[in-house]
Amino acid sequence: MKWIKSSIAKKLWFTITAAIIITILYSYFLSYFFYEKMYVNNVETSLIEEGQRLASDYEGGPLTEELKEKIEWYGSKSELEIFIVSNPRELSACLPFEIDYEALISGKEREELLKGNPVQKIGYEERFDRDIMAVVIPLLDQARLEGIIYLYLPLAKISEVTTDFAYLWLIAALLFLVIAIFFGTVLVKRLTKPLLEMKRAAEHVSNGDYSIQVLNHSTDEIGQLANAFNHMAASIQREDERRKEFLANISHELRTPISYVKGYSEALISGIVKEDCERYLQLIHREAGRMERLVGDLLDLSQLDSEEFRLEKMPISLSQVIEDSLQKFWPVLKEKNVKLHYMLDPDIIIYGDEGRFEQVIQNIMDNSIRYTEKGKITLTLAKVKEGCLIEIIDTGSGIPREDIPKIKQRFYRVNKARTRKDGGTGLGLAIVEKIVSLHGGKLLITSKLGEGTTVRITLPMLEI
């Protein structure tokens, strides 16, 4: 049976063929049984009705020659063998061979005849040396058995009818088998075709070709599987593109500061730069800070994705955390001539991780400051129906509409140019969303290109 395990098409063929054969055999035996049973019952009923109809001409008393001749004439015209005797022991005189009456009608059957009940007999009759179906109709005069009418039909004639039925059924079964094989072939091909396509597509995906798609025109489970495969391949392709873009971003972000650090340090060591050494050291320090921030973001994402990671939650005054976080931005705000207005509700207490929320404010403010030139940033903290709301609105360059749904994806960057001026890693908002989610909150970003961006964070409050 190894060949069956090698292919789902063979399994389907084996299952369909077995089901068809079992159905045909079961239907044949069931229908043959019922057909024969119904036919035999019908013949038996006909014998009784015919015998009773003949017996209805008997009016009592000794049997007349006229009645005998009438019944014998009827028997000669009928397909049945019909005999009438005035004394059951004379039955042998009506047959073309010697017969013993006691072998045809037993004492028990005689008792039934005396009660006026017809007697049915079916099976092999030794005296006739054949299988028969017989009915014995009593001719009673009050309580005396004056005679009987004996009707029988050889079972060979019944077998001929059932044999004809078997031949017709066999022809119909063969026709059904041909039709079933034809439609079974169509069904198996239709079922296995998308599976074979998915197998070939999976091989393409395993070789790095994520653009492959499975053609699908059905809505059943296999069609849904094909759609899921296409969605998976498209997702892998998008993730692979983001990975490649992320690696390009990371390599650029690391290579640039490393180049600065190496170049400035070599200039200082070789003595090429003898004046303004402090400025070069500041540049080296700044580039080292950029590398530190990038590595820190990567470590943060790794920790936040870890199942073992746990927030260090405690009751914190959110307004105080925000105010402390903003202190470090005043120098750069002044340098870029960006105004900052904030309104904080001091009564809002949340159950959260203070360090992680400082990171949330820092990442959002970094983005707002980076993309705002001589504008304004407004930060508010207020109570709302869902708990509390942190809202940060800037008047910066804004985000294109098509980029807004993707802006929170990790490694995604609106500006693909990776300029020195706004060369973020594309990880900041992904970290923010993860931290907010771990605190049971929601992050919503809206923006209009050229007008600015609004970031809303909704968090549950700690009830006191």
Side-chain angles (χ1 to χ4, degrees):
M1 300 295 283
K2 291 183 179 179
W3 67 274
I4 296 179
K5 298 179 180 180
S6 63
S7 170
I8 191 171
K10 292 178 181 178
K11 292 179 181 178
L12 288 172
W13 262 116
F14 180 79
T15 303
I16 292 173
T17 304
I20 291 173
I21 293 174
I22 292 172
T23 301
I24 289 175
L25 292 176
Y26 179 77
S27 301
Y28 170 75
F29 287 113
L30 192 64
S31 58
Y32 185 86
F33 171 77
F34 280 110
Y35 180 81
E36 185 176 38
K37 184 178 176 73
M38 290 174 63
Y39 184 76
V40 168
N41 289 341
N42 186 54
V43 170
E44 194 174 68
T45 303
S46 298
L47 286 174
I48 294 174
E49 290 177 351
E50 197 164 345
Q52 289 177 340
R53 188 165 55 250
L54 293 173
S56 65
D57 291 337
Y58 174 65
E59 299 178 349
L63 303 183
T64 63
E65 292 298 324
E66 180 183 0
L67 178 62
K68 291 180 181 180
E69 291 175 0
K70 183 177 179 181
I71 291 177
E72 289 177 2
W73 175 86
Y74 184 83
S76 64
K77 302 297 181 181
S78 174
E79 294 182 354
L80 305 175
E81 299 291 340
I82 305 176
F83 307 100
I84 181 171
V85 292
S86 57
N87 184 346
R89 295 183 182 275
E90 297 176 6
L91 182 59
S92 60
C94 303
L95 300 174
F97 42 84
E98 186 177 353
I99 195 166
D100 183 5
Y101 161 75
E102 292 299 336
L104 292 174
I105 301 175
S106 65
K108 187 176 181 181
E109 291 170 344
R110 182 179 177 85
E111 292 178 3
E112 287 295 318
L113 292 172
L114 286 171
K115 294 178 183 178
N117 300 325
V119 174
Q120 297 94 18
K121 305 178 70 174
I122 186 169
Y124 178 75
E125 190 63 60
E126 185 179 356
R127 295 302 179 181
F128 291 153
D129 192 24
R130 64 176 71 179
D131 291 321
I132 66 169
M133 177 184 291
V135 172
V136 182
I137 304 297
L139 298 175
L140 296 174
D141 183 15
Q142 295 182 355
R144 187 172 183 277
L145 183 63
E146 290 289 343
I148 60 171
I149 299 176
Y150 197 99
L151 306 90
Y152 78 89
L153 181 69
L155 288 179
K157 293 185 177 181
I158 298 177
S159 298
E160 290 175 3
V161 176
T162 54
T163 302
D164 291 341
F165 167 79
Y167 286 138
L168 290 173
W169 209 99
L170 180 61
I171 294 171
L174 290 174
L175 182 62
F176 172 77
L177 185 62
V178 171
I179 295 173
I181 289 175
F182 173 76
F183 285 104
T185 303
V186 175
L187 178 63
V188 169
K189 287 183 177 179
R190 186 172 182 180
L191 288 174
T192 57
K193 183 179 179 181
L195 296 177
L196 293 173
E197 289 182 358
M198 276 187 276
K199 177 187 174 184
R200 288 191 291 268
E203 292 173 352
H204 282 275
V205 171
S206 66
N207 292 327
D209 181 10
Y210 306 122
S211 62
I212 190 71
Q213 292 285 295
V214 178
L215 295 178
N216 175 50
H217 303 288
S218 65
T219 57
D220 56 12
E221 287 81 359
I222 294 180
Q224 294 171 9
L225 179 61
N227 290 334
F229 181 90
N230 290 338
H231 180 72
M232 178 195 70
S235 298
I236 293 175
Q237 185 178 18
R238 289 193 299 269
E239 192 65 30
D240 185 62
E241 291 172 355
R242 283 198 296 268
R243 180 183 62 83
K244 291 177 180 177
E245 183 181 347
F246 167 69
L247 291 175
N249 287 334
I250 294 300
S251 63
H252 175 82
E253 292 297 326
L254 286 175
R255 185 171 59 247
T256 301
I258 287 174
S259 299
Y260 274 92
V261 170
K262 183 179 179 182
Y264 292 151
S265 60
E266 286 178 351
L268 290 172
I269 292 171
S270 64
I272 296 175
V273 178
K274 296 181 178 180
E275 297 179 1
D276 204 10
C277 295
E278 185 178 350
R279 186 172 70 86
Y280 280 87
L281 290 173
Q282 288 176 349
L283 289 172
I284 292 173
H285 179 74
R286 186 190 68 184
E287 298 305 322
R290 290 185 64 194
M291 287 190 291
E292 183 183 23
R293 186 173 69 252
L294 177 60
V295 174
D297 284 348
L298 291 173
L299 289 174
D300 285 338
L301 271 177
S302 177
Q303 290 177 357
L304 292 171
D305 286 336
S306 174
E307 293 182 359
E308 290 78 19
F309 176 76
R310 294 292 182 271
L311 293 172
E312 297 179 4
K313 288 186 176 182
M314 62 182 68
I316 58 175
S317 172
L318 192 53
S319 62
Q320 188 63 50
V321 172
I322 294 174
E323 194 167 0
D324 292 343
S325 301
L326 293 176
Q327 296 303 315
K328 67 183 72 173
F329 294 106
W330 289 113
V332 68
L333 288 168
K334 185 177 180 181
E335 181 182 343
K336 294 192 69 175
N337 197 21
V338 176
K339 296 180 180 179
L340 173 63
H341 299 282
Y342 60 91
M343 294 170 286
L344 308 176
D345 186 340
D347 297 329
I348 294 178
I349 306 295
I350 67 167
Y351 190 67
D353 189 319
E354 183 176 350
R356 291 299 176 181
F357 259 105
E358 287 183 357
Q359 189 175 8
V360 167
I361 301 302
Q362 178 177 325
N363 287 356
I364 297 174
M365 287 296 297
D366 277 341
N367 285 338
S368 295
I369 295 170
R370 181 180 296 119
Y371 297 104
T372 303
E373 295 290 342
K374 297 181 181 180
K376 180 176 67 173
I377 298 175
T378 303
L379 191 154
T380 58
L381 172 64
K383 295 178 182 178
V384 292
K385 183 178 180 181
E386 296 81 6
C388 66
L389 173 67
I390 303 172
E391 186 175 60
I392 302 175
I393 304 173
D394 65 57
T395 58
S397 57
I399 303 170
R401 180 180 298 178
E402 62 272 14
D403 289 317
I404 292 177
K406 309 171 188 176
I407 195 68
K408 292 183 287 185
Q409 296 176 2
R410 57 187 63 184
F411 317 136
Y412 189 82
R413 289 162 47 95
V414 175
N415 186 350
K416 308 297 190 299
R418 300 195 297 266
T419 62
R420 299 276 300 146
K421 186 177 180 181
D422 54 2
T425 62
L427 301 175
L429 289 178
I431 294 173
V432 168
E433 184 177 41
K434 187 68 177 179
I435 294 173
V436 170
S437 176
L438 289 173
H439 282 82
K442 294 180 181 179
L443 173 65
L444 177 65
I445 299 174
T446 58
S447 183
K448 286 186 179 181
L449 191 61
E451 296 184 12
T453 302
T454 300
V455 178
R456 294 182 177 88
I457 298 174
T458 307
L459 294 166
M461 290 177 54
L462 180 63
E463 299 295 335
I464 300 177

